């Protein structure tokens, strides 16, 4: 039986003016019909850092993440503000296609298209009007290198992406996202379908990528959050309960619900 | 271990009892046999019917060539169809059948794909709720009704529009278009719905527009399903007899253009079969037309299987 925790007592950090934030949400609420899935999320994401969103199933962390690049459009109602480069991107007249070019997303289940490895990466570039073969080839190489996949696939770029292993497929999906040169990369439990060795590779890739990108990763796995993130937010039943640096989160959590979750009492 | 084996092998009274218990038939095993027996019986009956139909049509259809000594080549390429005087040229009907089939498929496919995209991607709730019954209704209307509407509406319209009798390939095409549209649409809807949701999500998350996602990801990965749908539509058009017969004009001559009266394999069969005497050349010639129809439907079937296999390979590779 899950203990009742007060949603009044939260410990959510905010950043001072010196910290550059890549993305920030203000009073973000998400509703699935009558179901209030996310309450008042006020989070800022420092540039070129990895932020982990942790919490039990149904805590709203994936819902929150999907709202950030408007993937919840047509699925859920999202209110509140999402600040990106000084613009509130949670407004109807904002071009969602443009947003998603800058805020990329990688999903829980590796989802490459049933096309060749090369086609998977150039798909969005072509759709965006890039035509020159030299440019496309260069992007294929840089993004595959960025996702630490180049050495494994450079000779088989025209093979079907579905012939890759799960871990390779997920790194291909990361490569596909960074090919669009986004600022922010959203990852929704990217390793939950992967074996430990593939997971290590993806994590190494992320640590390398944070030099260029701001990364927000939803994870079920607390060890993973501890390994890769600098900031960590804990979600519980649709509320952000605690947001702090990862070190503090795991060594000295401030409120009872976080303490119990970190200690493994539930989740 | 050895000791256990020895004990188990010992033919004492207890093992005999178990032997009987484990070997005797219960209600469950008898039900099993009965069920299996019934399903084998049904399968056997169906196989028998299909096989004898194949044999019957083949043997009758071949008689034109074996008994009446018409050359196969002449049958397929001859343009003079006058079985009473011994002229057996089936080319006009073959051309007619293919003409209306391809024309109907070419006209219907864009409409079908458009409708299917609307029903699955653009308005999956309200649009689908509205269109699904419409399509089911269109499938259920008997072909004689289609033919009657064609006769009462399409033929006079064509007569008015382009002159002539109004009977002809274009009228048949129009009627067949309406008839195959629901077939192609509903199968295309199925194949579009079978495209994994995560393909669409992946594409949208990369900043692709809805239209780019539909045209480059969803339609692309549903290609084999859509092709199958079109071929099923073509098979239906190729085999449709009554509605076509009512509007095509039934002139067993080589069609010169789209508005000239023509005939198809099926229309010739339905209009001719009552007037011939069993075992004569005119009768045998009609069976040969039926044989062509049979071979074509086998061909369509094989094509569908081939495409399905290719599609599967593409996804597994």
């Amino acid at each position: 039986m899950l203990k009742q925790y007060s949603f009044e007592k939260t410990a959510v950090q905010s950043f001072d003016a010196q910290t550059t934030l890549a993305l920030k949400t203000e009073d973000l609420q998400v509703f699935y019909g009558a179901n209030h899935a996310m309450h008042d999320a006020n989070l800022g994401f420092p540039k070129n850092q990895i932020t982990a969103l942790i919490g039990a199933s149904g805590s709203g962390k994936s819902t929150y993440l999907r709202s950030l690049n408007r993937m919840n459009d047509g699925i859920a109602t999202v209110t509140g503000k999402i600040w990106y480069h000084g613009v509130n991107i949670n407004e109807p007249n904002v071009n969602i296609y443009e947003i998603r070019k800058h805020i990329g997303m990688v999903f829980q289940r590796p989802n490459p298209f049933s096309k060749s490895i090369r086609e998977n990466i150039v798909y969005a570039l072509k759709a965006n009007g890039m035509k020159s073969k030299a440019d496309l080839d260069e992007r294929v190489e840089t993004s595959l290198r960025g996702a630490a996949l180049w050495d494994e696939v450079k000779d088989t770029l025209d093979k079907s992406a579905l012939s890759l292993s799960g871990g390779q497929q997920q790194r291909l999906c990361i490569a596909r996202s960074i090919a669009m040169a986004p600022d922010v990369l959203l990852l929704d439990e990217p390793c939950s379908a992967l074996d430990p060795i593939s997971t290590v590779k993806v994590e190494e890739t992320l640590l390398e990528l944070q030099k260029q990108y701001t990364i927000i990763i939803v994870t079920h796995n607390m060890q993973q959050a501890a390994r890769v993130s600098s900031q960590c937010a804990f979600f519980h039943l649709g509320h952000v309960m605690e947001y702090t640096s990862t070190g503090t989160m795991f060594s000295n959590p401030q409120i009872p619900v976080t303490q119990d979750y970190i200690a493994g009492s539930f989740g | 271990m050895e000791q256990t084996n020895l004990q188990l092998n010992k033919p004492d009274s207890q093992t005999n009892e178990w032997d009987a218990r484990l070997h005797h038939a219960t209600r469950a095993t008898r039900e099993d046999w009965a069920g299996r027996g019934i399903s084998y019986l049904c399968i056997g009956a169906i196989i028998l019917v299909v096989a004898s139909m194949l044999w019957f049509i083949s043997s009758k259809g071949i008689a034109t060539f074996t008994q009446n000594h018409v050359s196969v080549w002449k049958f397929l390429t001859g343009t003079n169809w006058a079985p009473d005087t011994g002229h057996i040229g089936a080319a006009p009907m073959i051309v007619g059948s293919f003409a209306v089939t391809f024309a109907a498929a070419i006209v219907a496919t864009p409409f079908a794909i458009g409708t299917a995209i609307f029903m699955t991607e653009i308005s999956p709730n309200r649009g689908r709720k509205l269109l699904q019954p419409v399509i089911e209704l269109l499938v259920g209307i008997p072909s004689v009704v289609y033919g009657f509407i064609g006769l009462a509406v399409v033929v006079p319209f064509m007569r008015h529009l382009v002159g002539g009798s109004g009977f002809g390939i274009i009228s048949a095409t129009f009627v067949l278009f309406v008839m195959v549209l629901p077939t192609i649409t509903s199968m295309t809807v199925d194949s579009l719905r079978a495209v994994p949701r995560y393909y669409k999500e992946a594409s949208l998350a990369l900043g692709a527009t809805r239209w780019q996602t539909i045209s480059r990801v969803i339609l692309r990965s549903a290609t084999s399903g859509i092709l199958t749908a079109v071929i099923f539509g073509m098979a239906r058009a190729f085999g449709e007899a009554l509605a076509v017969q009512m509007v095509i004009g039934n002139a067993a001559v080589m069609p010169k253009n789209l508005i000239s009266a023509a005939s198809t394999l099926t229309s010739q069969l339905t209009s001719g079969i009552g007037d011939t005497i069993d075992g004569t050349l005119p009768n045998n010639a009609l069976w040969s037309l039926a044989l062509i129809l049979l071979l074509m439907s086998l061909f369509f079937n094989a094509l569908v299987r081939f495409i399905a296999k290719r599609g599967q390979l593409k996804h597994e590779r």
Side-chain angles (χ1 to χ4, degrees):
Chain A
M1 186 65 198
L2 188 56
K3 238 163 72 183
Q4 293 286 318
Y5 296 97
S6 160
F7 294 123
E8 300 300 318
K9 193 165 176 260
T10 60
V12 176
Q13 65 177 345
S14 53
F15 294 92
D16 56 22
Q18 269 81 48
T19 317
T20 316
L21 296 181
L23 203 64
K24 191 180 158 191
T25 64
E26 235 176 83
D27 297 332
L28 194 90
Q29 320 261 355
V30 185
F31 300 86
Y32 292 107
N35 177 15
H36 197 170
M38 192 70 234
H39 301 257
D40 290 324
N42 292 292
L43 296 176
F45 301 99
K47 202 168 157 53
N48 293 42
Q49 291 193 20
I50 298 179
T51 304
L53 312 182
I54 61 171
S57 301
S59 61
K61 52 196 193 308
S62 287
T63 297
Y64 175 78
L65 189 82
R66 290 172 59 91
S67 302
L68 295 179
N69 69 342
R70 300 276 299 267
M71 286 301 283
N72 274 341
D73 278 28
I75 299 168
T77 315
V78 181
T79 65
K81 296 193 174 87
I82 305 169
W83 294 104
Y84 174 69
H85 286 294
V87 181
N88 175 14
I89 57 172
N90 192 29
E91 282 188 337
N93 58 357
V94 166
N95 182 342
I96 53 171
Y97 305 125
E98 202 56 36
I99 291 174
R100 291 169 187 162
K101 285 173 199 163
H102 298 287
I103 306 178
M105 186 165 215
V106 174
F107 295 85
Q108 178 169 6
R109 179 173 171 180
N111 58 358
F113 304 120
S114 64
K115 302 171 186 268
S116 71
I117 295 168
R118 187 199 308 275
E119 281 295 319
N120 261 279
I121 291 176
V122 301
Y123 165 73
L125 299 170
K126 277 184 174 167
N128 204 23
M130 189 185 273
K131 287 202 179 72
S132 146
K133 187 166 182 324
D135 287 352
L136 290 169
D137 284 348
E138 197 209 313
R139 283 286 183 99
V140 169
E141 179 170 347
T142 49
S143 46
L144 283 172
R145 280 189 192 281
L149 191 61
W150 175 252
D151 291 333
E152 290 161 59
V153 301
K154 64 182 179 217
D155 301 321
T156 54
L157 290 177
D158 292 311
K159 268 182 83 176
S160 167
L162 302 182
S163 64
L164 298 174
S165 73
Q168 289 174 323
Q169 287 187 10
Q170 195 61 303
R171 278 179 286 144
L172 177 64
C173 292
I174 294 174
R176 187 172 66 179
S177 288
I178 61 179
M180 292 299 288
D183 291 345
V184 181
L185 209 51
L186 309 175
L187 300 112
D188 188 359
E189 300 194 30
C191 300
S192 65
L194 305 185
D195 62 83
I197 292 167
S198 305
T199 301
V200 169
K201 287 209 159 177
V202 171
E203 286 177 6
E204 284 170 353
T205 309
L206 294 181
L207 288 169
E208 195 56 38
L209 286 173
Q210 71 171 323
K211 291 171 190 159
Q212 293 173 63
Y213 307 95
T214 304
I215 295 172
I216 306 172
I217 177 174
V218 163
T219 175
H220 236 91
N221 180 332
M222 278 187 276
Q223 285 77 25
Q224 180 170 61
R227 282 192 299 261
V228 299
S229 68
S230 330
Q231 310 295 330
C232 190
F234 170 65
F235 286 62
H236 184 62
L237 301 177
H239 295 259
V240 181
M241 302 307 292
E242 183 155 357
Y243 182 35
T244 171
S245 73
T246 305
T248 314
M249 176 71 83
F250 289 102
S251 60
N252 187 21
Q254 298 300 307
I255 54 175
V257 59
T258 322
Q259 287 157 5
D260 289 355
Y261 184 70
I262 301 289
S265 306
F266 71 91
Chain B
M1 189 71 199
E2 226 165 84
Q3 213 174 359
T4 333
N5 270 338
L6 280 176
Q7 268 177 359
L8 277 175
N9 288 337
K10 207 158 57 171
D12 61 14
S13 62
Q14 212 182 352
T15 45
N16 278 340
E17 187 197 320
W18 274 98
D19 186 66
R21 191 183 292 176
L22 292 177
H23 279 102
H24 93 285
T26 61
R27 195 190 148 98
T29 55
R30 275 192 296 270
E31 271 176 10
D32 230 27
W33 295 331
R36 203 177 308 172
I38 289 168
S39 68
Y40 276 129
L41 211 69
C42 295
I43 296 279
I46 289 167
I47 290 174
L48 197 72
V49 169
V50 171
S52 46
M53 267 171 63
L54 286 176
W55 181 81
F56 189 69
I57 296 173
S58 306
S59 63
K60 285 270 204 179
I62 286 169
T64 313
F65 313 115
T66 53
Q67 289 170 19
N68 306 101
H69 304 292
V70 178
S71 93
V72 178
W73 181 245
K74 266 200 175 142
F75 172 75
L76 290 175
T77 58
T79 56
N80 187 1
W81 179 264
D84 297 334
T85 57
H87 295 287
I88 309 288
M93 277 76 75
I94 296 172
V95 170
S97 276
F98 277 102
V100 293
T101 302
F102 279 112
I106 287 166
V107 179
T109 303
F111 284 93
I113 293 178
T115 312
I117 287 174
F118 181 79
M119 287 170 66
T120 53
E121 296 300 324
I122 294 171
S123 183
N125 298 321
R126 212 165 346 145
R128 190 173 160 77
K129 232 175 237 169
L130 191 78
L131 282 170
Q132 191 73 40
V134 174
I135 287 171
E136 279 159 15
L137 189 75
L138 283 175
V139 175
I141 294 176
S143 61
V144 64
V145 176
Y146 280 111
F148 196 56
I149 293 169
L151 194 62
V153 180
V154 180
V155 170
F157 179 73
M158 285 300 160
R159 188 184 305 144
H160 178 74
L161 196 70
V162 294
S165 67
F167 291 98
I169 289 180
I170 200 148
S171 300
T173 299
F174 191 85
V175 170
L176 283 177
F177 153 67
V178 183
M179 293 182 75
V180 300
L181 186 65
T183 310
I184 303 181
T185 306
S186 61
M187 289 183 67
T188 303
V189 166
D190 290 344
S191 70
L192 290 181
R193 282 163 66 87
V195 174
R197 221 177 81 96
Y198 52 77
Y199 281 174
K200 184 178 160 188
E201 256 187 344
S203 173
L204 288 175
L206 287 166
T209 63
R210 182 156 79 165
W211 176 240
Q212 286 165 342
T213 303
I214 290 171
S215 64
R216 299 184 194 194
V217 174
I218 296 176
L219 284 181
R220 192 68 65 81
S221 54
T223 307
S224 68
I226 294 171
L227 272 177
T228 306
V230 173
I231 290 166
F232 265 101
M234 283 171 65
R236 180 160 189 216
F238 203 86
E240 178 50 46
L242 202 53
V244 173
Q245 193 204 354
M246 289 166 84
V247 298
I248 200 165
N250 300 311
V253 291
M254 205 59 157
K256 287 180 196 65
N257 50 44
L258 289 180
I259 53 167
S260 63
S263 64
T264 63
L265 293 165
T266 48
S267 73
Q268 199 58 45
L269 258 176
T270 44
S271 56
I273 202 80
D275 308 332
T276 57
I277 301 152
D278 202 22
T280 61
L281 175 62
N283 187 272
N284 286 346
L286 290 178
W287 280 109
S288 300
L289 297 185
L291 182 61
I292 297 180
L293 281 169
L294 180 76
L295 292 177
M296 275 312 294
S297 65
L298 287 177
F299 172 73
F300 282 128
N301 255 315
L303 205 59
V304 165
R305 281 173 175 277
F306 175 71
I307 288 168
K309 215 170 198 175
R310 284 277 309 263
Q312 223 171 28
L313 279 180
K314 198 177 142 206
H315 282 280
E316 278 165 7
R317 194 177 49 200

